[in-house]
Amino acid sequence: MNKHVLLVDGMALLFRSFYATAVHRNFMINDNGVPTNGVNGYLKHLLTAVQTFEPTHIVCCWDMGSQTYRNELFQDYKANRGAPPVELIPQFDLAKEATEELGIVNVGLKGFEADDCIGTLAALYQKEARVTVLTGDKDLLQILNEQVTVALMQKGIGNYKQYTKALFEEEMGISPKALIDMKALMGDSSDNYPGVKGIGEKTALKFIQTYQTIDRLLENVHELTAAQQKKMLAGLEDLKLSRILAEIKCDVPLSCPIDETKMQINQERAAAMLRLHQIKGIEPMVNRLSEIEIS
């Protein structure tokens, strides 16, 4: 199997890059008054990953607005997150433009998150290719299997913790899919869904290590302590909802044939775009990649 697809979580790369320099208010504003700090770092992360993983095919996935089907199910989903900083807002479109000018396909679908697009494409492409997911989001570890690996970005550029299914199972003692049930039990303060009140990460992990699934846990709820039984029975509705919210959808109705995602850096278009928007320090990286023959 010679095809190797890199699925990039564009949102994770852009947010990480923006906040890395925004803390010092180094927004790199160009002559048109548009900040470029997030896009600059995003491109460094993206091109470094291409050099590191040497994919034959590549897709960059994006959120398409803040409202998704999860908000319809639970109106407070991610309600604890404020609006993005004004300096970041114009960089969403600029990052997508830069990606396109590099010759890389952008994918996003209104009503779904970038994670759902990644999960769907991974399920589709794994039939004929190895798949590497580049992200900073541990939620995506739930899609690990023999064909899909997840590279979690660490501090700095070009530093990754690469998870295989085997490594995840060795570390956690549960299957990747079981991460969904674990998250449903413990909830997620970042995404603002409840889980079972009073059940934290350690207890949730222990429950899933012991019973494998929520269904089996509920079948054997009598084996829990009286306090745990009370929490579980009181939190059944929140548990059911949280499980739906925690699961990455792998059947999003999008179309992106693998043949349209072949890795081909467009040096001239990329250089013109970088100069137009005064995004500095990236052109040498593009030139180096353009010289590499990706087979």
Side-chain angles (χ1 to χ4, degrees):
M1 191 175 287
N2 294 323
K3 292 179 181 177
H4 178 202
V5 184
L6 181 64
L7 298 178
V8 179
D9 183 348
M11 303 303 295
L13 269 64
L14 183 60
F15 271 89
R16 176 178 289 249
S17 301
F18 175 81
Y19 286 109
T21 49
V23 67
H24 301 297
R25 301 199 63 78
N26 181 16
F27 297 118
M28 304 178 187
I29 297 171
N30 66 19
D31 288 347
N32 293 319
V34 178
T36 62
N37 65 313
V39 177
N40 186 286
Y42 160 80
L43 289 171
K44 287 177 181 174
H45 276 293
L46 177 63
L47 294 171
T48 300
V50 170
Q51 191 168 11
T52 300
F53 299 110
E54 299 182 335
T56 58
H57 298 70
I58 183 168
V59 181
C60 196
C61 296
W62 302 91
D63 292 350
M64 302 298 285
S66 60
Q67 296 297 302
T68 70
Y69 76 93
R70 291 181 176 88
N71 298 98
E72 295 173 9
L73 292 168
F74 182 55
Q75 66 178 9
D76 289 333
Y77 181 73
K78 292 189 177 180
N80 54 335
R81 299 190 186 185
V86 292
E87 295 89 355
L88 176 58
I89 292 172
Q91 298 192 61
F92 290 114
D93 286 341
L94 185 54
K96 292 173 192 173
E97 178 189 339
T99 304
E100 186 177 338
E101 293 303 306
L102 280 169
I104 296 171
V105 174
N106 288 310
V107 167
L109 190 63
K110 191 173 176 59
F112 298 93
E113 296 182 32
D115 286 1
D116 300 313
C117 295
I118 289 171
T120 298
L121 293 178
L124 180 66
Y125 295 154
Q126 69 186 27
K127 298 169 186 174
E128 56 181 311
R130 291 186 298 116
V131 177
T132 299
V133 175
L134 175 65
T135 184
D137 187 353
K138 291 182 178 180
D139 288 350
L140 277 159
L141 294 172
Q142 67 183 258
I143 70 170
L144 286 166
N145 60 38
E146 280 74 12
Q147 286 301 118
V148 178
T149 62
V150 174
L152 284 180
M153 294 185 294
Q154 307 295 297
K155 189 174 182 180
I157 293 176
N159 298 317
Y160 316 100
K161 181 165 186 179
Q162 296 189 53
Y163 273 95
T164 60
K165 179 175 180 284
L167 176 60
F168 178 86
E169 291 175 345
E170 180 185 333
E171 280 194 5
M172 299 292 290
I174 61 175
S175 71
K177 280 287 183 191
L179 181 60
I180 302 167
D181 283 6
M182 177 182 160
K183 294 274 293 186
L185 284 163
M186 61 185 273
D188 189 318
S189 58
S190 175
D191 287 343
N192 200 43
Y193 58 82
V196 176
K197 189 174 182 181
I199 301 295
E201 182 176 355
K202 289 183 179 179
T203 302
L205 177 59
K206 183 180 177 183
F207 281 172
I208 298 304
Q209 286 173 337
T210 303
Y211 298 103
Q212 285 78 58
T213 67
I214 285 173
D215 289 341
R216 285 192 60 189
L217 170 63
L218 293 175
E219 287 170 6
N220 296 279
V221 73
H222 59 277
E223 297 179 358
L224 307 182
T225 66
Q228 290 171 340
Q229 288 183 47
K230 186 176 180 181
K231 291 172 185 174
M232 289 297 300
L233 295 174
L236 284 177
E237 288 304 311
D238 282 343
L239 178 60
K240 182 179 177 181
L241 172 65
S242 295
R243 195 190 187 288
I244 296 171
L245 297 174
E247 184 171 13
I248 291 171
K249 284 187 72 67
C250 294
D251 58 355
V252 171
L254 57 82
S255 176
C256 185
I258 194 169
D259 291 343
E260 296 178 10
T261 69
K262 189 165 175 59
M263 182 72 224
Q264 294 175 315
I265 294 289
N266 191 316
Q267 184 176 355
E268 290 184 4
R269 280 173 54 189
M273 173 273 301
L274 293 168
R275 291 168 190 165
L276 175 65
H277 297 292
Q278 297 171 300
I279 302 172
K280 298 174 182 178
I282 307 299
E283 197 169 340
M285 299 180 72
V286 173
N287 295 341
R288 285 195 299 272
L289 281 176
S290 302
E291 295 165 5
I292 299 172
E293 187 68 33
I294 302 199
S295 57

